[in-house]
Amino acid sequence: GLSIVKISISRLDFHELSMISHEGYGTMFVIKIPLARKEANASAIQGNEKTTTDTNILDGIFILLVQDDLMLLESVPSLLRINGALCEVVASVEELIQILPDMERPPDIVLTDFRLPKNRSAVDVVNSIENEFGKDIPIIVTTGDTLEASDQVALRQAIILKKPISPIELVESIKSAVHSRQKTMTMA
C-alpha cells in the first residue's frame, strides 16, 4: 500500500511524502501538497472541478464500471461523473451478468479491473459484454500485473492500462476509445 502511495505522490508535481518513525513512540506520515488558488477552492466546493482543461470532456458517455476495490468504487465513479459521464457500477462478474439483460441501453464503454472476485477476471467481463451486445463496445482493462499471453489474446481488442493510472490519463483514454468507436461507426 505505501509503495503505491509513494509512486502516486511522485507523479504529482510539488507533492511530497515523508515519514518519521521512532521506535516505541510510533510513526508519522507527512504529505505536503501545494495550496490552491482561492477561485479553485470555491469551484471544487461547488462541485465544478474538472480533471482536465476541457469542460465535461466525457459529456453524456455511458460507462459501465466493473470494480471490486472499495476505495476505487467511490473515487472512480466520482471522477467520471465530474467529467460529465453517466456511470453504472458493479462489483463482480456475477453482478454484471445479472444487470446486463435489463440495461436500458448498451454502455458506450466498459472500464474493468483485470482481477475480480471469485477467481474471475476481465476476460469474463469481455465475454459477458460480447455475449450481450456484440464486439463493438470498447473495453478498458486496468491492471497492476503483467498479463499472460493467453490473457492478452482472450481480451481481444481491449485497451490495457497499467496501474497506477492518473485521473487525466484515465479520462483521456476513455474519451479516445469512445471517439475512435464513433468514427468507425460513422464510416461504416
Side-chain angles (χ1 to χ4, degrees):
L2 187 56
S3 63
I4 292 172
V5 172
K6 187 175 180 180
I7 290 169
S8 298
I9 292 289
S10 72
R11 290 177 168 227
L12 299 171
D13 291 335
F14 310 110
H15 289 68
E16 295 178 27
L17 171 68
S18 60
M19 177 185 79
I20 302 166
S21 184
H22 296 285
E23 191 173 337
Y25 291 96
T27 303
M28 178 175 67
F29 294 93
V30 178
I31 300 175
K32 293 182 182 178
I33 57 174
L35 287 174
R37 294 186 328 269
K38 191 172 190 174
E39 302 83 39
N41 287 337
S43 174
I45 290 168
Q46 295 167 3
N48 294 329
E49 74 273 29
K50 302 289 177 232
T51 57
T52 68
T53 55
D54 229 348
T55 336
N56 291 329
I57 192 169
L58 301 176
D59 196 27
I61 294 174
F62 177 38
I63 301 168
L64 177 55
L65 173 64
V66 185
Q67 177 60 255
D68 67 317
D69 183 305
L70 293 177
M71 188 169 74
L72 295 176
L73 271 171
E74 291 182 20
S75 62
V76 173
S78 293
L79 169 71
L80 300 175
R81 289 181 182 120
I82 284 169
N83 282 280
L86 306 169
C87 194
E88 178 80 31
V89 182
V90 295
S92 67
V93 173
E94 290 73 23
E95 196 177 328
L96 172 69
I97 292 167
Q98 192 173 31
I99 70 155
L100 285 177
D102 298 325
M103 291 183 79
E104 291 181 24
R105 71 174 180 136
D108 295 311
I109 190 165
V110 176
L111 175 61
T112 181
D113 195 17
F114 180 75
R115 295 205 182 281
L116 296 166
K118 297 185 180 174
N119 237 7
R120 300 291 203 119
S121 75
V123 173
D124 299 300
V125 172
V126 168
N127 292 334
S128 298
I129 294 296
E130 287 182 358
N131 287 340
E132 189 68 31
F133 301 116
K135 296 184 180 193
D136 64 337
I137 296 176
I139 298 175
I140 295 178
V141 177
T142 61
T143 184
D145 301 328
T146 301
L147 299 181
E148 299 288 329
S150 60
D151 289 328
Q152 290 179 7
V153 169
L155 290 172
R156 301 178 212 18
Q157 300 298 317
I159 299 160
I160 300 169
L161 297 179
K162 296 290 281 180
K163 294 177 185 177
I165 305 158
S166 75
I168 291 174
E169 179 185 4
L170 181 61
V171 168
E172 290 292 335
S173 296
I174 291 168
K175 177 185 169 188
S176 176
V178 170
H179 287 270
S180 292
R181 175 183 180 231
Q182 289 171 342
K183 272 188 195 174
T184 304
M185 291 176 73
T186 53
M187 291 169 44

mmCIF file of all heavy atoms in Angstrom, residues 76-108:
data_model
loop_
_atom_site.group_PDB
_atom_site.id
_atom_site.type_symbol
_atom_site.label_atom_id
_atom_site.label_comp_id
_atom_site.label_asym_id
_atom_site.label_seq_id
_atom_site.Cartn_x
_atom_site.Cartn_y
_atom_site.Cartn_z
ATOM 1 N N VAL A 76 -13.561 6.421 -8.526
ATOM 2 C CA VAL A 76 -13.623 6.390 -9.992
ATOM 3 C C VAL A 76 -14.969 6.894 -10.509
ATOM 4 O O VAL A 76 -14.994 7.756 -11.399
ATOM 5 C CB VAL A 76 -13.264 4.992 -10.549
ATOM 6 C CG1 VAL A 76 -13.500 4.931 -12.059
ATOM 7 C CG2 VAL A 76 -11.809 4.654 -10.236
ATOM 8 N N PRO A 77 -16.111 6.423 -9.981
ATOM 9 C CA PRO A 77 -17.375 6.992 -10.462
ATOM 10 C C PRO A 77 -17.469 8.509 -10.240
ATOM 11 O O PRO A 77 -17.997 9.224 -11.086
ATOM 12 C CB PRO A 77 -18.439 6.257 -9.635
ATOM 13 C CG PRO A 77 -17.801 4.967 -9.279
ATOM 14 C CD PRO A 77 -16.346 5.302 -9.069
ATOM 15 N N SER A 78 -16.925 8.998 -9.128
ATOM 16 C CA SER A 78 -16.920 10.449 -8.881
ATOM 17 C C SER A 78 -16.121 11.177 -9.951
ATOM 18 O O SER A 78 -16.567 12.187 -10.488
ATOM 19 C CB SER A 78 -16.334 10.760 -7.505
ATOM 20 O OG SER A 78 -17.177 10.282 -6.496
ATOM 21 N N LEU A 79 -14.941 10.661 -10.259
ATOM 22 C CA LEU A 79 -14.103 11.249 -11.306
ATOM 23 C C LEU A 79 -14.851 11.279 -12.638
ATOM 24 O O LEU A 79 -14.864 12.291 -13.338
ATOM 25 C CB LEU A 79 -12.801 10.450 -11.455
ATOM 26 C CG LEU A 79 -11.944 10.787 -12.675
ATOM 27 C CD1 LEU A 79 -11.310 12.160 -12.513
ATOM 28 C CD2 LEU A 79 -10.892 9.712 -12.892
ATOM 29 N N LEU A 80 -15.480 10.163 -12.984
ATOM 30 C CA LEU A 80 -16.187 10.070 -14.267
ATOM 31 C C LEU A 80 -17.376 11.031 -14.314
ATOM 32 O O LEU A 80 -17.586 11.723 -15.317
ATOM 33 C CB LEU A 80 -16.642 8.632 -14.507
ATOM 34 C CG LEU A 80 -15.514 7.589 -14.551
ATOM 35 C CD1 LEU A 80 -16.083 6.183 -14.668
ATOM 36 C CD2 LEU A 80 -14.522 7.883 -15.664
ATOM 37 N N ARG A 81 -18.129 11.100 -13.238
ATOM 38 C CA ARG A 81 -19.307 11.989 -13.198
ATOM 39 C C ARG A 81 -18.907 13.460 -13.220
ATOM 40 O O ARG A 81 -19.567 14.274 -13.852
ATOM 41 C CB ARG A 81 -20.153 11.656 -11.972
ATOM 42 C CG ARG A 81 -20.864 10.321 -12.130
ATOM 43 C CD ARG A 81 -21.739 9.972 -10.936
ATOM 44 N NE ARG A 81 -22.345 8.665 -11.132
ATOM 45 C CZ ARG A 81 -22.180 7.622 -10.329
ATOM 46 N NH1 ARG A 81 -21.437 7.729 -9.230
ATOM 47 N NH2 ARG A 81 -22.754 6.466 -10.594
ATOM 48 N N ILE A 82 -17.828 13.798 -12.521
ATOM 49 C CA ILE A 82 -17.327 15.181 -12.529
ATOM 50 C C ILE A 82 -17.006 15.607 -13.958
ATOM 51 O O ILE A 82 -17.175 16.765 -14.322
ATOM 52 C CB ILE A 82 -16.087 15.319 -11.616
ATOM 53 C CG1 ILE A 82 -16.506 15.340 -10.156
ATOM 54 C CG2 ILE A 82 -15.273 16.558 -11.955
ATOM 55 C CD1 ILE A 82 -15.358 15.203 -9.188
ATOM 56 N N ASN A 83 -16.583 14.666 -14.758
ATOM 57 C CA ASN A 83 -16.221 14.947 -16.149
ATOM 58 C C ASN A 83 -17.390 14.745 -17.110
ATOM 59 O O ASN A 83 -17.209 14.686 -18.311
ATOM 60 C CB ASN A 83 -15.013 14.104 -16.557
ATOM 61 C CG ASN A 83 -13.744 14.697 -16.002
ATOM 62 O OD1 ASN A 83 -13.220 15.648 -16.549
ATOM 63 N ND2 ASN A 83 -13.273 14.160 -14.887
ATOM 64 N N GLY A 84 -18.607 14.612 -16.569
ATOM 65 C CA GLY A 84 -19.804 14.593 -17.403
ATOM 66 C C GLY A 84 -20.328 13.230 -17.803
ATOM 67 O O GLY A 84 -21.323 13.136 -18.520
ATOM 68 N N ALA A 85 -19.688 12.151 -17.370
ATOM 69 C CA ALA A 85 -20.107 10.803 -17.771
ATOM 70 C C ALA A 85 -21.299 10.317 -16.944
ATOM 71 O O ALA A 85 -21.515 10.754 -15.817
ATOM 72 C CB ALA A 85 -18.951 9.817 -17.622
ATOM 73 N N LEU A 86 -22.036 9.404 -17.528
ATOM 74 C CA LEU A 86 -23.050 8.633 -16.816
ATOM 75 C C LEU A 86 -22.359 7.334 -16.432
ATOM 76 O O LEU A 86 -21.580 6.794 -17.216
ATOM 77 C CB LEU A 86 -24.242 8.352 -17.728
ATOM 78 C CG LEU A 86 -24.863 9.581 -18.391
ATOM 79 C CD1 LEU A 86 -25.845 9.151 -19.468
ATOM 80 C CD2 LEU A 86 -25.522 10.447 -17.357
ATOM 81 N N CYS A 87 -22.637 6.809 -15.255
ATOM 82 C CA CYS A 87 -21.855 5.669 -14.788
ATOM 83 C C CYS A 87 -22.729 4.640 -14.080
ATOM 84 O O CYS A 87 -23.494 4.975 -13.188
ATOM 85 C CB CYS A 87 -20.775 6.190 -13.840
ATOM 86 S SG CYS A 87 -19.493 5.019 -13.470
ATOM 87 N N GLU A 88 -22.615 3.391 -14.504
ATOM 88 C CA GLU A 88 -23.250 2.250 -13.829
ATOM 89 C C GLU A 88 -22.110 1.439 -13.226
ATOM 90 O O GLU A 88 -21.115 1.150 -13.903
ATOM 91 C CB GLU A 88 -24.022 1.412 -14.837
ATOM 92 C CG GLU A 88 -24.679 0.183 -14.267
ATOM 93 C CD GLU A 88 -25.989 0.494 -13.551
ATOM 94 O OE1 GLU A 88 -26.672 1.452 -13.951
ATOM 95 O OE2 GLU A 88 -26.313 -0.228 -12.597
ATOM 96 N N VAL A 89 -22.229 1.059 -11.953
ATOM 97 C CA VAL A 89 -21.133 0.381 -11.256
ATOM 98 C C VAL A 89 -21.586 -0.987 -10.764
ATOM 99 O O VAL A 89 -22.650 -1.109 -10.161
ATOM 100 C CB VAL A 89 -20.653 1.224 -10.052
ATOM 101 C CG1 VAL A 89 -19.478 0.540 -9.354
ATOM 102 C CG2 VAL A 89 -20.276 2.631 -10.484
ATOM 103 N N VAL A 90 -20.759 -1.998 -11.037
ATOM 104 C CA VAL A 90 -20.962 -3.329 -10.465
ATOM 105 C C VAL A 90 -19.647 -3.788 -9.859
ATOM 106 O O VAL A 90 -18.579 -3.378 -10.289
ATOM 107 C CB VAL A 90 -21.476 -4.358 -11.509
ATOM 108 C CG1 VAL A 90 -22.859 -3.980 -12.006
ATOM 109 C CG2 VAL A 90 -20.511 -4.516 -12.661
ATOM 110 N N ALA A 91 -19.737 -4.666 -8.855
ATOM 111 C CA ALA A 91 -18.541 -5.068 -8.114
ATOM 112 C C ALA A 91 -18.050 -6.470 -8.462
ATOM 113 O O ALA A 91 -17.038 -6.912 -7.927
ATOM 114 C CB ALA A 91 -18.806 -4.968 -6.616
ATOM 115 N N SER A 92 -18.762 -7.176 -9.353
ATOM 116 C CA SER A 92 -18.349 -8.538 -9.683
ATOM 117 C C SER A 92 -18.899 -8.943 -11.044
ATOM 118 O O SER A 92 -19.816 -8.307 -11.577
ATOM 119 C CB SER A 92 -18.868 -9.525 -8.628
ATOM 120 O OG SER A 92 -20.288 -9.598 -8.698
ATOM 121 N N VAL A 93 -18.352 -10.006 -11.584
ATOM 122 C CA VAL A 93 -18.847 -10.544 -12.858
ATOM 123 C C VAL A 93 -20.273 -11.054 -12.683
ATOM 124 O O VAL A 93 -21.125 -10.853 -13.555
ATOM 125 C CB VAL A 93 -17.911 -11.662 -13.388
ATOM 126 C CG1 VAL A 93 -18.509 -12.339 -14.616
ATOM 127 C CG2 VAL A 93 -16.530 -11.094 -13.704
ATOM 128 N N GLU A 94 -20.550 -11.664 -11.537
ATOM 129 C CA GLU A 94 -21.905 -12.178 -11.281
ATOM 130 C C GLU A 94 -22.928 -11.037 -11.299
ATOM 131 O O GLU A 94 -24.006 -11.162 -11.886
ATOM 132 C CB GLU A 94 -21.955 -12.923 -9.936
ATOM 133 C CG GLU A 94 -21.211 -14.241 -9.923
ATOM 134 C CD GLU A 94 -19.682 -14.102 -9.921
ATOM 135 O OE1 GLU A 94 -19.154 -13.044 -9.510
ATOM 136 O OE2 GLU A 94 -19.017 -15.055 -10.359
ATOM 137 N N GLU A 95 -22.578 -9.936 -10.675
ATOM 138 C CA GLU A 95 -23.464 -8.762 -10.663
ATOM 139 C C GLU A 95 -23.619 -8.196 -12.077
ATOM 140 O O GLU A 95 -24.716 -7.794 -12.484
ATOM 141 C CB GLU A 95 -22.884 -7.715 -9.715
ATOM 142 C CG GLU A 95 -23.846 -6.643 -9.306
ATOM 143 C CD GLU A 95 -23.226 -5.675 -8.296
ATOM 144 O OE1 GLU A 95 -22.369 -6.078 -7.479
ATOM 145 O OE2 GLU A 95 -23.632 -4.500 -8.337
ATOM 146 N N LEU A 96 -22.538 -8.196 -12.840
ATOM 147 C CA LEU A 96 -22.571 -7.742 -14.231
ATOM 148 C C LEU A 96 -23.552 -8.584 -15.047
ATOM 149 O O LEU A 96 -24.423 -8.052 -15.737
ATOM 150 C CB LEU A 96 -21.169 -7.810 -14.845
ATOM 151 C CG LEU A 96 -21.069 -7.547 -16.343
ATOM 152 C CD1 LEU A 96 -21.360 -6.081 -16.648
ATOM 153 C CD2 LEU A 96 -19.695 -7.947 -16.861
ATOM 154 N N ILE A 97 -23.408 -9.896 -14.963
ATOM 155 C CA ILE A 97 -24.272 -10.811 -15.720
ATOM 156 C C ILE A 97 -25.741 -10.601 -15.338
ATOM 157 O O ILE A 97 -26.630 -10.670 -16.188
ATOM 158 C CB ILE A 97 -23.828 -12.277 -15.494
ATOM 159 C CG1 ILE A 97 -22.457 -12.504 -16.147
ATOM 160 C CG2 ILE A 97 -24.854 -13.257 -16.025
ATOM 161 C CD1 ILE A 97 -21.772 -13.800 -15.748
ATOM 162 N N GLN A 98 -25.982 -10.295 -14.080
ATOM 163 C CA GLN A 98 -27.345 -10.089 -13.602
ATOM 164 C C GLN A 98 -27.981 -8.816 -14.179
ATOM 165 O O GLN A 98 -29.159 -8.809 -14.516
ATOM 166 C CB GLN A 98 -27.332 -10.029 -12.076
ATOM 167 C CG GLN A 98 -28.688 -10.111 -11.443
ATOM 168 C CD GLN A 98 -28.558 -10.227 -9.936
ATOM 169 O OE1 GLN A 98 -27.634 -9.711 -9.320
ATOM 170 N NE2 GLN A 98 -29.504 -10.926 -9.325
ATOM 171 N N ILE A 99 -27.199 -7.723 -14.323
ATOM 172 C CA ILE A 99 -27.799 -6.462 -14.787
ATOM 173 C C ILE A 99 -27.835 -6.310 -16.310
ATOM 174 O O ILE A 99 -28.638 -5.543 -16.822
ATOM 175 C CB ILE A 99 -27.093 -5.226 -14.181
ATOM 176 C CG1 ILE A 99 -25.690 -5.062 -14.745
ATOM 177 C CG2 ILE A 99 -27.114 -5.259 -12.676
ATOM 178 C CD1 ILE A 99 -25.172 -3.642 -14.686
ATOM 179 N N LEU A 100 -26.981 -7.023 -17.032
ATOM 180 C CA LEU A 100 -26.877 -6.823 -18.484
ATOM 181 C C LEU A 100 -28.211 -6.929 -19.226
ATOM 182 O O LEU A 100 -28.525 -6.049 -20.034
ATOM 183 C CB LEU A 100 -25.841 -7.777 -19.093
ATOM 184 C CG LEU A 100 -24.384 -7.417 -18.846
ATOM 185 C CD1 LEU A 100 -23.465 -8.478 -19.444
ATOM 186 C CD2 LEU A 100 -24.046 -6.040 -19.385
ATOM 187 N N PRO A 101 -29.020 -7.965 -18.997
ATOM 188 C CA PRO A 101 -30.265 -8.080 -19.779
ATOM 189 C C PRO A 101 -31.264 -6.944 -19.519
ATOM 190 O O PRO A 101 -32.096 -6.660 -20.372
ATOM 191 C CB PRO A 101 -30.863 -9.415 -19.318
ATOM 192 C CG PRO A 101 -29.756 -10.147 -18.649
ATOM 193 C CD PRO A 101 -28.816 -9.111 -18.127
ATOM 194 N N ASP A 102 -31.174 -6.288 -18.372
ATOM 195 C CA ASP A 102 -32.133 -5.248 -18.017
ATOM 196 C C ASP A 102 -31.632 -3.835 -18.282
ATOM 197 O O ASP A 102 -32.336 -2.863 -17.973
ATOM 198 C CB ASP A 102 -32.515 -5.382 -16.535
ATOM 199 C CG ASP A 102 -33.194 -6.708 -16.240
ATOM 200 O OD1 ASP A 102 -33.940 -7.198 -17.110
ATOM 201 O OD2 ASP A 102 -32.978 -7.249 -15.147
ATOM 202 N N MET A 103 -30.447 -3.692 -18.858
ATOM 203 C CA MET A 103 -29.919 -2.356 -19.124
ATOM 204 C C MET A 103 -30.761 -1.685 -20.206
ATOM 205 O O MET A 103 -31.123 -2.319 -21.196
ATOM 206 C CB MET A 103 -28.445 -2.423 -19.538
ATOM 207 C CG MET A 103 -27.530 -2.842 -18.400
ATOM 208 S SD MET A 103 -25.796 -2.844 -18.854
ATOM 209 C CE MET A 103 -25.449 -1.104 -18.753
ATOM 210 N N GLU A 104 -31.063 -0.396 -19.998
ATOM 211 C CA GLU A 104 -31.878 0.340 -20.962
ATOM 212 C C GLU A 104 -31.158 0.557 -22.285
ATOM 213 O O GLU A 104 -31.796 0.664 -23.323
ATOM 214 C CB GLU A 104 -32.290 1.686 -20.359
ATOM 215 C CG GLU A 104 -33.278 1.522 -19.220
ATOM 216 C CD GLU A 104 -33.704 2.864 -18.651
ATOM 217 O OE1 GLU A 104 -33.622 3.891 -19.362
ATOM 218 O OE2 GLU A 104 -34.121 2.877 -17.484
ATOM 219 N N ARG A 105 -29.843 0.641 -22.222
ATOM 220 C CA ARG A 105 -29.046 0.792 -23.446
ATOM 221 C C ARG A 105 -27.665 0.219 -23.207
ATOM 222 O O ARG A 105 -27.215 0.127 -22.063
ATOM 223 C CB ARG A 105 -28.961 2.255 -23.875
ATOM 224 C CG ARG A 105 -28.104 3.126 -22.973
ATOM 225 C CD ARG A 105 -27.966 4.516 -23.574
ATOM 226 N NE ARG A 105 -27.162 5.383 -22.744
ATOM 227 C CZ ARG A 105 -26.231 6.194 -23.216
ATOM 228 N NH1 ARG A 105 -25.994 6.250 -24.503
ATOM 229 N NH2 ARG A 105 -25.547 6.967 -22.407
ATOM 230 N N PRO A 106 -26.976 -0.146 -24.263
ATOM 231 C CA PRO A 106 -25.609 -0.654 -24.084
ATOM 232 C C PRO A 106 -24.688 0.473 -23.621
ATOM 233 O O PRO A 106 -24.912 1.638 -23.964
ATOM 234 C CB PRO A 106 -25.193 -1.114 -25.486
ATOM 235 C CG PRO A 106 -26.395 -1.026 -26.343
ATOM 236 C CD PRO A 106 -27.404 -0.183 -25.652
ATOM 237 N N PRO A 107 -23.661 0.141 -22.867
ATOM 238 C CA PRO A 107 -22.709 1.182 -22.470
ATOM 239 C C PRO A 107 -21.914 1.652 -23.686
ATOM 240 O O PRO A 107 -21.743 0.911 -24.661
ATOM 241 C CB PRO A 107 -21.811 0.465 -21.457
ATOM 242 C CG PRO A 107 -21.930 -0.979 -21.783
ATOM 243 C CD PRO A 107 -23.302 -1.180 -22.353
ATOM 244 N N ASP A 108 -21.429 2.886 -23.618
ATOM 245 C CA ASP A 108 -20.543 3.390 -24.675
ATOM 246 C C ASP A 108 -19.156 2.788 -24.518
ATOM 247 O O ASP A 108 -18.410 2.660 -25.496
ATOM 248 C CB ASP A 108 -20.451 4.917 -24.610
ATOM 249 C CG ASP A 108 -21.780 5.573 -24.911
ATOM 250 O OD1 ASP A 108 -22.412 5.198 -25.928
ATOM 251 O OD2 ASP A 108 -22.206 6.442 -24.125
#
